[in-house]
Amino acid sequence: MLDQKQVLDRYYLETRCQLVEIAATLDRFDRAESQGEAPQDPRLDQIYASLELLSRSRTSADRSRRLLEMFSDPA
Amino acid sequence: MQIIQPHYHAIARTAQDYEKMAMSGVVAVAEPAFWAGFDRAYPETFIDYFRQISEFEPTRAAEYGIRHFCWVGVNPKEAENPPLSYEVLKHMPEFFKKPNVLGVGEIGFHKTTKNEEEIFEAQIELAMKYDQLILIHTPHLQDKIRGTKRTLEVLRHMNAPPERVWIDHVEEHTIREPLEQGYWVGFTLYPITKCSPKRAADMLEEYGHERILVNSSADWGPSDPFTLQECVLEYRRRGHSLQEAIEIFHNNPCRFLGQNPKWDIKPIKVETQEAESIETSTV
């Protein structure tokens, strides 16, 4: 198993890239307004709610599970 | 669709790349001189490298019907060694005479050091003296803003003609200034960690396609020459016409590189009997 520094060394650039991809997708959505506005869509709220969850640095280490639950239909 | 790969490091790739590129419409590649993954100790090693990309690689590409052009220069990492760099620079003019050498590149900054700047300036001066095109590498990650700003300052100070300079590896935070100042810019697409085909399509939609080149990453590191075709597909899937894609992925390289008369591939225009069929034809 990797230590924390090794995790950062190995995954920092990849994570940085994934975050920029998310930013670019949200920018794309905003720019697309000129082509036609989307009706109120819960998927956008889910994306922003998930970003809020990820922005908390001091939280339990089960972010992936909680994120997937957030994107799931109620059981 | 005919495509040009304007930034491709063939010496780091296998013949399968050429074969698959040919099958996917690539008609020409241009290979800048770059860092070999380690710092070379002798000027002669560079000279042989320049011979490889100016004499041997065209024959390998020709096996697959692909035209091969190249650039010579001391890359930013090895520019950190000025004595070595100056020795290499002495030999560059003899390569400018080769039939497939288009100019000086890729040169510029890696860590934006004093040594890098000295050799960058010397190479710009050499390019201008011999009327060569200039291809500039900008730093990839946290140094990109600083390196790009300094690049523009150096170019301005040296009165380099913007229309003959291509500033490569721009991203969302560095594209605006070079374009506004009249330079050509390039996006370099990677499978991971740097600019992606989707983000490149975003920038094309935001900035238009004038003076913009798109190239894939194709070197000895994690890279994929077919990110270029991914970008073509992404761009077309967003509803842009075949001719618009040709303007970006074929004609723009012809416009920039064609400033050197050795580049004899001309821009193309799609003609159909019925205009609507352009919109429905495949990528």
Side-chain angles (χ1 to χ4, degrees), chain B residues 21-283:
Chain B
M21 284 196 298
M23 288 193 291
S24 66
V26 172
V27 294
V29 301
E31 175 161 18
F34 83 141
W35 188 57
F38 74 105
D39 291 340
R40 286 162 276 208
Y42 313 102
E44 291 82 0
T45 320
F46 280 84
I47 310 307
D48 269 343
Y49 170 47
F50 296 161
R51 284 183 50 235
Q52 184 174 3
I53 60 177
S54 63
E55 295 171 12
F56 172 67
E57 274 305 327
T59 65
R60 206 161 71 105
E63 291 285 321
Y64 299 90
I66 293 176
R67 302 281 305 279
H68 179 283
F69 296 84
C70 72
W71 304 71
V72 293
V74 177
N75 63 84
K77 279 195 181 194
E78 285 166 297
E80 195 52 39
N81 182 346
L84 175 79
S85 301
Y86 282 119
E87 279 304 309
V88 177
L89 261 64
K90 278 186 204 165
H91 292 271
M92 280 165 50
E94 61 201 68
F95 287 93
F96 297 155
K97 297 175 195 156
K98 301 269 186 188
N100 69 332
V101 175
L102 299 171
V104 177
E106 52 187 307
I107 60 172
F109 290 118
H110 171 57
K111 294 287 183 192
T112 322
T113 67
K114 212 176 154 201
N115 284 343
E116 288 174 18
E117 185 161 325
E118 180 184 331
I119 299 306
F120 182 31
E121 288 184 343
Q123 295 194 90
I124 294 170
E125 199 179 324
L126 190 67
M128 289 168 67
K129 181 178 170 189
Y130 286 89
D131 202 24
Q132 298 294 304
L133 295 172
I134 297 172
L135 165 53
I136 294 175
H137 164 98
T138 52
H140 276 300
L141 297 166
Q142 68 270 27
D143 297 322
K144 190 182 282 294
I145 292 178
R146 189 164 68 106
T148 306
K149 280 189 183 305
R150 193 65 197 138
T151 295
L152 294 173
E153 285 165 4
V154 168
L155 289 167
R156 225 179 357 252
H157 161 72
M158 299 197 68
N159 290 318
E163 71 281 2
R164 292 178 65 80
V165 178
W166 159 14
I167 298 178
D168 209 10
H169 318 316
V170 302
E171 290 182 90
E172 289 88 337
H173 56 328
T174 56
I175 181 174
R176 187 177 297 276
E177 233 182 316
L179 269 185
E180 282 177 355
Q181 293 181 26
Y183 297 98
W184 283 77
V185 300
F187 309 149
T188 308
L189 312 178
Y190 283 82
I192 193 82
T193 75
K194 293 160 194 157
C195 190
S196 68
K198 289 189 185 74
R199 286 169 50 209
D202 290 339
M203 287 189 277
L204 288 166
E205 289 184 330
E206 201 174 349
Y207 291 92
H209 51 69
E210 198 180 337
R211 283 182 288 111
I212 293 181
L213 302 164
V214 186
N215 51 84
S216 67
S217 55
D219 52 46
W220 44 260
S223 55
D224 177 0
F226 297 96
T227 49
L228 185 60
Q229 283 79 348
E230 269 181 58
C231 189
V232 175
L233 180 61
E234 175 70 21
Y235 188 72
R236 293 279 282 131
R237 284 181 71 198
R238 294 187 188 189
H240 300 287
S241 71
L242 178 59
Q243 186 61 45
E244 283 176 295
I246 288 170
E247 293 301 330
I248 296 161
F249 300 98
H250 181 278
N251 292 351
N252 273 359
C254 293
R255 290 182 184 109
F256 177 74
L257 300 172
Q259 293 180 84
N260 184 321
K262 292 176 200 167
W263 180 277
D264 54 2
I265 304 171
K266 302 296 178 200
I268 53 179
K269 189 162 179 61
V270 172
E271 283 185 24
T272 57
Q273 289 184 326
E274 291 182 46
E276 312 85 76
S277 64
I278 297 174
E279 302 304 324
T280 54
S281 61
T282 55
V283 172

